[in-house]
Amino acid sequence: MVNKVPRLLASDAEKTFLPKLKFLQSKGISSPDLAKLLSSFPNILLRSLDRQIIPFFNTYSNLIQSDEKTIKAIKWNPFLIGYDVNIIDAHLLPNMNILRDHGVPESNVIKMLHQFPRALLINPGGLKEVVEKVEETGLNPQIVKFIHAVSVLAGMSKSIRERKVDVYKKWGWSDKEIWECFRKYPSCFAVSEDRIMAIMDFLVNKMSFASSHVAKQPSILSRSFKKRIVPRGLFAQHLLSKGLIKDLKLSPLFDTTEERFLKSFVARHVTEAPELLERYNEILKNYNPSHILEYLVAPLFTNASPGYWQTESNVASPH
């Protein structure tokens, strides 16, 4: 906190800090959560309790129709409590009306206020442009994914959005494919350009997946490159070289939980190749030294009945 806002040390703890701490605790924020909140955004302690914190909290709570949801919104977005109440009239209310005017149900407007408040605090002209862009992709304003898509695009400038489009085009994606991908999985635009390049390079150039296949399974782009994509990809290539699997599919490889992956790609073949577990563990340690595999693996190999891993029902599927 002091590193972020050194002048906290010059403030009167009893007069400046304590009333704010008591107010936030009175609203149901626990001491551990309060510690996280303040370490994330210590500027709260320098805001006026009577002119900023209380008016903003009460007005926001009235809009979202719940103190509890307001607390959750603040815990997820600590910057919220630092805003002046005037931001509500200037940005938040007009932006809520923009969503309503474009057919977003009231329940989803409230959900956005709860889960994606940052998008509602941008300039109304900017949000209107974003909402219209999301509508152009064909997403239905009636569904929750619409507000998620709006929040993703509202969190970046138009120039950054265009750079993301350019990165995908480098891999041969057409404009139609890019926006279909966004419509299916809006978070593909929340991924950094460097990460997109790294994942696409590995999948296309190292694992020989067609770029168009990744476009059809965009959720892969949100997976951890070092903790999931590289270790599982290298292990799958090992299975191919051993003749234990005949082909590779993106979703079973990268969209499944660790437990499902172990069942389908390690335990299933352990009778034929007992060294697989050691091999997978070795790959994991090289790319993710902190990963603890044993707690997942032990029950898979000790509780299974003979022939269990060979049953068709254990084929991995997307979670």
Side-chain angles (χ1 to χ4, degrees):
M1 290 171 61
V2 171
N3 186 50
K4 290 179 180 178
V5 188
R7 65 193 182 103
L8 288 174
L9 291 176
S11 301
D12 187 308
E14 293 289 329
K15 292 181 180 179
T16 304
F17 299 161
L18 192 57
K20 295 159 191 172
L21 299 177
K22 286 183 174 180
F23 172 77
L24 294 171
Q25 285 185 316
S26 75
K27 293 299 182 179
I29 301 179
S30 67
S31 292
D33 285 337
L34 191 55
K36 291 178 183 177
L37 175 68
L38 294 175
S39 62
S40 175
F41 193 74
N43 282 314
I44 295 171
L45 292 173
L46 299 178
R47 298 291 191 265
S48 168
L49 179 62
D50 294 326
R51 295 193 306 274
Q52 293 175 300
I53 295 175
I54 291 177
F56 183 88
F57 187 97
N58 291 340
T59 305
Y60 201 89
S61 183
N62 287 337
L63 288 173
I64 208 170
Q65 302 167 9
S66 166
D67 274 3
E68 185 180 355
K69 286 183 178 180
T70 301
I71 291 167
K72 286 183 178 178
I74 292 170
K75 282 162 63 176
W76 293 336
N77 307 273
F79 65 88
L80 265 182
I81 198 71
Y83 275 108
D84 190 284
V85 71
N86 293 333
I87 194 78
I88 291 178
D89 289 330
H91 288 183
L92 198 144
L93 290 176
N95 284 335
M96 292 173 71
N97 286 331
I98 287 171
L99 293 175
R100 295 181 183 113
D101 291 344
H102 283 80
V104 176
E106 188 65 21
S107 59
N108 287 351
V109 174
I110 299 301
K111 188 182 290 288
M112 192 162 187
L113 194 62
H114 182 209
Q115 297 182 357
F116 312 116
R118 191 182 293 270
L120 292 173
L121 293 169
I122 70 172
N123 184 283
L127 187 76
K128 187 174 187 296
E129 189 270 335
V130 165
V131 170
E132 289 172 352
K133 180 62 185 177
V134 174
E135 278 187 321
E136 286 176 16
T137 71
L139 263 176
N140 184 350
Q142 297 283 320
I143 64 176
V144 172
K145 190 185 287 186
F146 186 90
I147 61 170
H148 179 209
V150 168
S151 73
V152 169
L153 292 192
M156 66 185 72
S157 66
K158 188 174 181 179
S159 62
I160 292 176
R161 183 205 312 168
E162 290 171 350
R163 290 210 307 265
K164 298 280 176 79
V165 170
D166 289 340
V167 170
Y168 286 124
K169 282 185 175 180
K170 288 179 181 177
W171 294 98
W173 295 14
S174 65
D175 279 317
K176 182 180 179 182
E177 282 180 311
I178 292 168
W179 291 109
E180 282 181 354
C181 182
F182 174 80
R183 186 172 67 245
K184 183 186 296 184
Y185 193 75
S187 291
C188 70
F189 265 64
V191 182
S192 73
E193 295 153 56
D194 288 343
R195 186 170 170 182
I196 294 169
M197 289 297 292
I199 291 175
M200 293 298 294
D201 178 63
F202 182 78
L203 294 177
V204 175
N205 295 330
K206 304 294 191 301
M207 296 200 66
S208 300
F209 282 108
S211 177
S212 58
H213 288 175
V214 185
K216 293 175 182 176
Q217 196 65 40
S219 58
I220 304 298
L221 295 162
S222 292
R223 308 306 173 201
S224 170
F225 181 61
K226 290 186 177 180
K227 295 181 180 181
R228 179 174 293 198
I229 291 177
V230 172
R232 291 188 184 185
L234 294 178
F235 185 72
Q237 288 182 321
H238 180 72
L239 294 180
L240 276 174
S241 69
K242 291 278 189 180
L244 296 172
I245 57 176
K246 295 181 180 179
D247 59 12
L248 300 176
K249 294 182 180 179
L250 283 166
S251 187
L253 265 180
F254 303 116
D255 267 342
T256 53
T257 63
E258 186 73 355
E259 186 173 0
R260 282 181 177 271
F261 177 82
L262 288 167
K263 287 180 180 180
S264 296
F265 291 96
V266 182
R268 178 181 293 277
H269 305 290
V270 76
T271 303
E272 304 160 85
E275 82 288 351
L276 286 181
L277 179 59
E278 184 178 349
R279 173 65 175 159
Y280 184 52
N281 216 357
E282 179 185 332
I283 293 172
L284 278 176
K285 286 178 180 177
N286 286 338
Y287 286 91
N288 182 21
S290 64
H291 188 94
I292 300 174
L293 185 62
E294 289 74 13
Y295 82 99
L296 283 171
V297 173
L300 299 183
F301 289 90
T302 57
N303 296 336
S305 57
Y308 175 80
W309 306 115
Q310 284 70 46
T311 62
E312 188 64 27
S313 62
N314 290 307
V315 175
S317 60
H319 61 77

